[in-house]
């Protein structure tokens, strides 16, 4: 009987722990967001994150709060001898949190670690050819998002993006867009949306634009979006997210319906920031 009571109590405690998760997370986030944001950190944002001074004051404040939460929850690991500094952490966290502005979010709940390499890095990839033969190859990458809780980034490429912030490329935005896409368990170009109607609208417009990019890539025609987005719907979502934040004016002018879908998803309108 005593054992049964103990098991029942443990079960009740487990249920309570799960049910109280959102409130505990909210308290933790509130405590982290109320921390001090040093003046030296603001200087890093102004130096490395071109979007920061363009944001309205209220979004700058929200970004700083979200950065504090992000830094309090995610682990940064230097690879191949790379040293993690405040500049590295702030530069990455700020651009990752740019995607979370105006959103009630769990701060990339599947993400535990950000691995930072000094330069582009090699990963092993298994690929299957048309005959069904599986080949292992080494791929040289500037970034990668893993569903096991890691994002891998090249600091050299991050600095290149910081020095050319509005050229359409941003490895941090690209990889963290993948993290958003993966929140429902699948990297398929359809991140979690609030309603079936939104999924229908999203699917229709994304498919049209994805098909157009695939055609442009096959025909060698110019496109605002990088051809890499034509390799898979998940890559299309990440590439378009890069363009949304780094080339919003031509995006809004040339692909208005798609821009509006992304503005609704991110709850932001970067074309209004400058």
């Amino acid at each position: 009987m005593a054992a049964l009571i103990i098991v029942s109590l443990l079960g009740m405690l487990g249920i309570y722990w799960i049910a109280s998760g959102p409130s505990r997370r909210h308290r933790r986030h509130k405590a982290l967001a109320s921390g001090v944001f040093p003046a030296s950190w603001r200087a890093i944002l102004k130096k490395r994150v071109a979007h920061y001074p363009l944001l309205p004051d209220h979004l700058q404040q929200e970004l700083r709060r979200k950065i504090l939460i992000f830094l309090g929850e995610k682990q940064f690991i230097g690879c191949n001898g790379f040293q993690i500094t405040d500049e590295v952490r702030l530069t990455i966290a700020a651009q990752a949190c740019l995607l979370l502005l105006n959103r009630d979010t769990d701060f990339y709940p599947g993400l535990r670690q950000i691995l930072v390499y000094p330069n582009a890095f090699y990963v092993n990839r298994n690929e299957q050819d048309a005959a069904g033969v599986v080949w292992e190859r080494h791929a040289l990458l500037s970034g990668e998002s893993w569903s096991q809780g890691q994002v891998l980034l090249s600091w050299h490429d991050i600095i290149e993006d910081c020095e050319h912030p509005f050229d359409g490329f941003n490895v941090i935005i690209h990889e963290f867009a993948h993290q958003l896409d993966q929140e429902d368990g699948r990297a398929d170009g359809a991140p979690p949306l609030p309603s079936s109607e939104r999924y229908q609208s999203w699917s229709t417009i994304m498919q049209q634009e994805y098909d157009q990019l695939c055609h442009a890539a096959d025909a060698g025609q110019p496109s605002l979006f990088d051809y890499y987005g034509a390799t898979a719907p998940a890559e299309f979502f990440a590439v378009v997210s890069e363009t949304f934040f780094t080339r919003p004016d031509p995006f809004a002018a040339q692909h208005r319906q798609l821009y509006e879908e992304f503005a609704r998803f991110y709850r932001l309108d970067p074309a209004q920031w400058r």
Side-chain angles (χ1 to χ4, degrees), residues 4-16:
L4 181 60
I5 293 174
I6 292 173
V7 170
S8 298
L9 288 174
L10 289 174
M12 292 172 63
L13 287 172
I15 293 172
Y16 170 77

Side-chain angles (χ1 to χ4, degrees), residues 4-245:
L4 181 60
I5 293 174
I6 292 173
V7 170
S8 298
L9 288 174
L10 289 174
M12 292 172 63
L13 287 172
I15 293 172
Y16 170 77
W17 182 257
I18 294 172
S20 64
S23 63
R24 287 185 287 106
R25 183 166 54 250
H26 175 75
R27 290 195 299 271
R28 183 176 70 251
H29 286 176
K30 186 177 180 179
L32 289 170
S34 65
V36 176
F37 201 98
S40 61
W41 287 13
R42 296 194 190 201
I44 292 171
L45 295 186
K46 293 176 181 177
K47 174 185 177 183
R48 290 299 185 196
V49 185
H51 290 87
Y52 178 72
L54 302 178
L55 296 173
D57 288 345
H58 72 283
L59 287 182
Q60 287 187 5
Q61 295 172 14
E62 183 186 348
L63 183 62
R64 293 195 298 269
R65 290 193 297 268
K66 280 182 161 54
I67 289 170
L68 288 169
I69 297 170
F70 187 94
L71 294 179
E73 292 193 335
K74 311 304 180 185
Q75 180 186 19
F76 286 77
I77 299 174
C79 302
N80 292 351
F82 185 75
Q83 297 297 311
I84 299 296
T85 64
D86 281 350
E87 181 176 12
V88 172
R89 296 167 71 240
L90 264 292
T91 300
I92 294 171
Q95 294 177 78
C97 290
L98 191 66
L99 279 63
L100 305 180
L101 291 175
N102 283 337
R103 293 157 58 97
D104 184 15
T105 175
D106 285 344
F107 289 82
Y108 303 106
L111 176 66
R112 296 179 290 105
Q113 300 170 329
I114 298 97
L115 281 61
V116 188
Y117 290 78
N119 298 288
F121 50 89
Y122 284 97
V123 298
N124 294 327
R125 288 266 181 88
N126 289 328
E127 296 186 354
Q128 185 172 341
D129 62 21
V133 178
V134 176
W135 300 86
E136 182 178 86
R137 71 178 181 90
H138 298 292
L140 183 64
L141 303 175
S142 60
E144 183 148 88
S145 173
W146 289 354
S147 59
Q148 298 92 334
Q150 291 88 25
V151 163
L152 288 66
L153 297 166
S154 157
W155 181 246
H156 172 79
D157 289 272
I158 289 172
I159 294 301
E160 286 285 314
D161 292 338
C162 291
E163 292 176 350
H164 305 91
F166 301 110
D167 65 354
F169 299 98
N170 186 297
V171 65
I172 297 173
I173 290 175
H174 185 105
E175 301 308 335
F176 279 89
H178 279 315
Q179 284 290 312
L180 292 177
D181 189 11
Q182 293 166 351
E183 283 187 9
D184 60 1
R186 303 182 305 276
D188 56 5
L193 297 171
S195 67
S196 58
E197 291 79 9
R198 283 295 311 281
Y199 275 110
Q200 183 175 1
S201 174
W202 180 273
S203 176
T204 299
I205 294 172
M206 287 285 282
Q207 188 65 56
Q208 291 173 354
E209 293 280 357
Y210 177 66
D211 290 343
Q212 288 179 21
L213 181 60
C214 290
H215 175 75
D218 290 341
Q221 297 173 347
S223 173
L224 179 66
F225 306 123
D226 187 80
Y227 288 165
Y228 187 62
T231 59
E235 297 300 343
F236 183 65
F237 171 67
V239 164
V240 174
S241 293
E242 288 181 84
T243 311
F244 179 74
F245 284 100

